[in-house]
Amino acid sequence: MTSQERKVLFFGVGSVGSVYLYLLSKIVSTTAVCRSNYDVVKERGFTINSTVFGDGLHVAPHVDPHPFDYVILTCKVVPGIYPKIIKPVITPGHTVIALLQNGIGIEEEYATAFPENPILTVATYCATALGPPGVVTHKEVEKLEVGSYPSSAPNTRAQAFISLMQSTGATATLFDDVQVKRWYKLLLNSSWNLICALTLSLDVQFMQSSDGATDFVLDVMLETRDIAKAYGYEIATEEVKAQWERATEEPSMLQDLKAGRKREVEAIVGNVVRMARAKCVACGTLDTIYLLMKALDARMGGNK
């Protein structure tokens, strides 16, 4: 099958999803499932202004009948919902399910729901923000770190997915066990993403708020590192500090909070706390952040 004959469904297309939707639409048939932005995207498509790929990019997805070769999830992680929703478009033994999503411990529900389908799990770096409806700003970084789930599964489909993405100009790399890369990204999400949302502050604002602020962020990252180690994933202190020093501008969870969108509390911190307890790893700071985020989530709601 040539790339032109392939059919790809994007499920939950926000700012990150729109970038990869645009890239893949150049070479394959693409269908998008949208929710809060449905009316705007149906009428006008997406406009993307990217420092990596160019300004004024436009993509207008259309609707293809399945079978789909790939179903790519770029939606927020909400446990227990999406395997049921995507089931009608998954062809057993054929459709590759790719999770371009945040968090840790998110794959098993898909593996359980679709035992005959390859599952790809991807640590995604794509700095984006939503502007006016249907308009996306993309800056600085674009990188996909890809692996099969479980890590013992054959990498044939993962390599084919990487080749497809690379042919669009995307940056994609294969890892035999990509979970270490997911844990590494989680250092950033479990700290800056959550702290900025809880305090309604940008990273620099939080660091300037008190003498102990930056050390607090590092403590959160070190707890996350210790939990990763308990599951066999070593992250060097130098790598932790690299994430600690990384500027995040306005993290995605702060953007989501301001816009009333769903926040990935369970995938980013809830699963981490539960995994720490299962291995008897101390996680007092993360546990506190989790309790605070759950309270904020209950108060703020977020159904978009």
Side-chain angles (χ1 to χ4, degrees):
M1 181 182 294
T2 65
S3 61
Q4 289 83 0
E5 295 172 317
R6 295 192 182 280
K7 294 181 180 180
V8 177
L9 174 76
F10 278 84
F11 185 86
V13 187
S15 56
V16 170
S18 70
V19 173
Y20 292 106
L21 174 69
Y22 164 74
L23 292 174
L24 277 172
S25 69
K26 297 187 294 183
I27 64 168
V28 301
S29 175
T30 53
T31 300
V33 176
C34 301
R35 188 177 177 185
S36 61
N37 56 358
Y38 173 82
D39 290 335
V40 171
V41 173
K42 182 179 180 181
E43 181 182 353
R44 301 197 298 266
F46 285 101
T47 298
I48 303 166
N49 297 309
S50 171
T51 60
V52 178
F53 300 110
D55 288 339
L57 308 175
H58 184 260
V59 56
H62 58 275
V63 178
D64 258 334
H66 61 288
F68 292 103
D69 302 291
Y70 293 93
V71 170
I72 301 176
L73 285 90
T74 53
C75 51
K76 302 295 180 185
V77 178
V78 183
I81 295 178
Y82 294 132
K84 297 176 185 177
I85 294 176
I86 67 172
K87 185 175 181 180
V89 296
I90 303 297
T91 302
H94 176 75
T95 307
V96 177
I97 302 167
L99 308 178
L100 276 67
Q101 299 172 295
N102 285 322
I104 205 77
I106 67 170
E107 302 92 353
E108 186 56 34
E109 63 177 334
Y110 294 94
T112 300
F114 306 107
E116 299 178 36
N117 295 83
I119 309 293
L120 306 183
T121 183
V122 185
T124 306
Y125 292 87
C126 191
T128 57
L130 289 170
V135 179
V136 174
T137 300
H138 171 225
K139 297 180 179 179
E140 178 190 355
V141 63
E142 181 282 311
K143 180 171 65 173
L144 301 174
E145 297 175 327
V146 184
S148 300
Y149 184 85
S151 59
S152 57
N155 277 330
T156 306
R157 296 294 188 94
Q159 187 60 68
F161 177 76
I162 286 170
S163 298
L164 184 66
M165 297 306 301
Q166 288 175 340
S167 68
T168 72
T171 303
T173 307
L174 176 66
F175 292 87
D176 289 335
D177 189 349
V178 78
Q179 293 299 325
V180 68
K181 295 299 182 179
R182 278 197 166 276
W183 279 106
Y184 181 67
K185 185 180 180 185
L186 193 67
L187 293 173
L188 196 69
N189 279 330
S190 66
S191 55
W192 283 124
N193 216 344
L194 294 162
I195 290 167
C196 290
L198 282 169
T199 60
L200 297 178
S201 302
L202 301 180
D203 53 358
V204 173
Q205 291 172 330
F206 181 76
M207 287 188 289
Q208 293 174 342
S209 66
S210 67
D211 291 339
T214 53
D215 288 337
F216 177 77
V217 176
L218 181 59
D219 288 343
V220 175
M221 289 189 174
L222 291 174
E223 279 191 2
T224 304
R225 177 205 61 182
D226 291 344
I227 300 164
K229 183 177 180 180
Y231 284 85
Y233 299 104
E234 295 274 356
I235 302 175
T237 302
E238 293 75 16
E239 293 179 297
V240 176
K241 289 184 176 179
Q243 289 289 60
W244 181 46
E245 295 169 352
R246 184 179 171 196
T248 56
E249 296 190 358
E250 187 174 56
S252 61
M253 196 173 287
L254 180 56
Q255 295 179 40
D256 293 336
L257 185 68
K258 289 179 177 180
R261 295 190 294 265
K262 287 184 180 294
R263 294 162 292 281
E264 300 170 293
V265 177
E266 297 302 331
I268 290 177
V269 65
N271 287 352
V272 182
V273 168
R274 285 183 284 272
M275 292 172 77
R277 292 172 181 165
K279 294 284 188 177
C280 299
V281 179
C283 65
T285 308
L286 280 167
D287 200 9
T288 300
I289 288 175
Y290 178 47
L291 292 173
L292 294 173
M293 280 302 307
K294 288 289 286 184
L296 179 63
D297 224 36
R299 177 171 174 266
M300 299 297 295
N303 301 311
K304 296 181 181 179

